[in-house]
Amino acid sequence: GCTVKYSGYLENWNKLFCSNGNSKYPRLMKLGKDITLWGLEIGLLSMTKGEAALFILTPEYAYGPRGCPPSIPPNTTVLFKVEVLDFIDSEECDAFFELTYEQQDRLPLEKVLKVAATEREFGNYFFYKQCFKIAKDRYKRALFILGHRSSSKAEQSQINASKLLLFLNLSLTYLKLDCADRALKYGELALEMDQGNVKALFRCGQACLYMREYSKSRDFLARAQCIQPFNRDINNELKKL
C-alpha cells in the first residue's frame, strides 16, 4: 500500500485531468487494486518513500487505443507528476491471511513476526492520520497473528517483545478513543510482561486519571516518575492529578 500525491496531465502539460493535490491526508492505496494504470504501477515500484518523479506514459502504458472518454482521447501520451509520501509492503500480509490456521502455524517464526510488524506499521500509519478505530483494528490483527501459535521459550520471548509494543500501541489508541478502561487493560498487559515499562505505567496512570481513580493513578505515575524523574510528560500528568 502507498500514499501518493499525484497530478495527471495530457501531453505538453496543457490539461490537468486528475489530481489529489488538495487532499491533506491522501488515502492509502493498493497497487493493482486502487492503482491499475500499468505504467504508473511500474513507476511507483521503482520509487522510495519521500521521492518525487515525473513519468511520461505512452498509450500502451496508460489508457491505450480507446483512451478514457471524455477526458482522455484515444492513443494519448499522458504525464504523471507523483510523490510517494508513504509505502508499506502488504504482500506478505495478504498471503498470510489466505492460508489456513494450520498453514499459518507451520510458518517460520521469522515470517510470522514480519507479518505482525507490517500490520503494526499499518496501525501506526492510520494512528498518525488520526484514524484511531482503523489503527486499533490493525494492532489487534497483529496480536491475532502472534496469538495462535505454540512455541519454545526462546520463540515465546520474541513473540512477547512484539506483543509488548502492540499492548502499548493499543493502550494509547484506546485513550484517543476515550475508552480509558480498555486503555488500562492493555497498559496492565504490558506491565505483566515488563513491570518497569515507563510507557505502560504512564498510560495506566493516564487511564486511571481519566476514570477519576486518583489514588490508583498516583501509584502508576509515581512508579513511572521514580524511573524517569525528569520526564516532562509524567511530571505534567502528576501536576494535573
Side-chain angles (χ1 to χ4, degrees):
C2 59
T3 47
V4 180
K5 262 192 177 176
Y6 63 84
S7 298
Y9 300 85
L10 298 185
E11 51 191 323
N12 302 324
W13 299 91
N14 60 2
K15 188 180 178 186
L16 177 74
F17 66 85
C18 69
S19 175
N20 71 343
N22 294 327
S23 174
K24 190 178 177 185
Y25 296 124
R27 69 188 181 90
L28 193 68
M29 295 184 287
K30 253 189 169 178
L31 293 170
K33 187 179 175 185
D34 304 305
I35 300 169
T36 53
L37 212 60
W38 189 26
L40 206 49
E41 275 195 79
I42 294 167
L44 286 167
L45 284 168
S46 72
M47 296 176 72
T48 56
K49 182 178 171 179
E51 188 178 353
L54 171 65
F55 295 115
I56 299 167
L57 308 182
T58 53
E60 63 268 33
Y61 288 97
Y63 297 95
R66 293 185 178 183
C68 188
S71 307
I72 298 152
N75 291 308
T76 302
T77 295
V78 295
L79 301 104
F80 271 92
K81 188 177 178 183
V82 296
E83 182 185 354
V84 176
L85 305 176
D86 230 319
F87 182 82
I88 307 170
D89 187 356
S90 64
E91 190 178 352
E92 283 191 274
C93 288
D94 296 340
F96 180 88
F97 283 107
E98 284 171 12
L99 301 174
T100 64
Y101 287 158
E102 292 76 18
Q103 289 171 324
Q104 288 173 4
D105 277 334
R106 286 199 295 269
L107 284 176
L109 178 64
E110 187 183 343
K111 182 156 277 199
V112 174
L113 291 172
K114 191 177 175 188
V115 172
T118 302
E119 283 295 329
R120 181 171 168 263
E121 208 178 327
F122 272 111
N124 291 346
Y125 168 82
F126 287 112
F127 182 92
Y128 289 117
K129 293 286 181 275
Q130 299 188 0
C131 301
F132 301 120
K133 283 186 178 177
I134 303 173
K136 172 207 42 144
D137 290 341
R138 297 312 284 247
Y139 294 142
K140 286 193 171 182
R141 255 165 68 117
L143 276 180
F144 170 79
I145 290 162
L146 297 169
H148 62 90
R149 117 179 232 112
S150 55
S151 57
S152 65
K153 271 191 174 180
E155 284 195 344
Q156 196 59 52
S157 69
Q158 286 181 274
I159 290 168
N160 286 350
S162 295
K163 280 186 172 181
L164 177 62
L165 294 173
L166 289 162
F167 290 153
L168 291 169
N169 287 148
L170 279 162
S171 184
L172 179 56
T173 306
Y174 273 116
L175 281 172
K176 295 288 185 183
L177 289 167
D178 294 330
C179 298
D181 55 334
R182 306 290 291 166
L184 179 60
K185 175 199 159 184
Y186 282 104
E188 288 179 328
L189 284 170
L191 287 173
E192 283 175 24
M193 290 185 171
D194 178 8
Q195 61 180 2
N197 189 289
V198 173
K199 278 187 180 177
L201 290 166
F202 181 59
R203 301 278 172 254
C204 289
Q206 285 181 300
C208 290
L209 180 55
Y210 186 93
M211 293 188 290
R212 299 184 180 183
E213 293 185 18
Y214 299 125
S215 63
K216 207 171 169 185
S217 176
R218 185 176 295 281
D219 288 344
F220 282 121
L221 292 171
R223 281 165 64 192
Q225 191 185 46
C226 281
I227 300 163
Q228 289 188 6
F230 300 107
N231 184 306
R232 188 182 297 172
D233 291 333
I234 295 166
N235 292 335
N236 283 343
E237 207 70 10
L238 277 162
K239 281 179 193 171
K240 198 192 295 183
L241 175 66

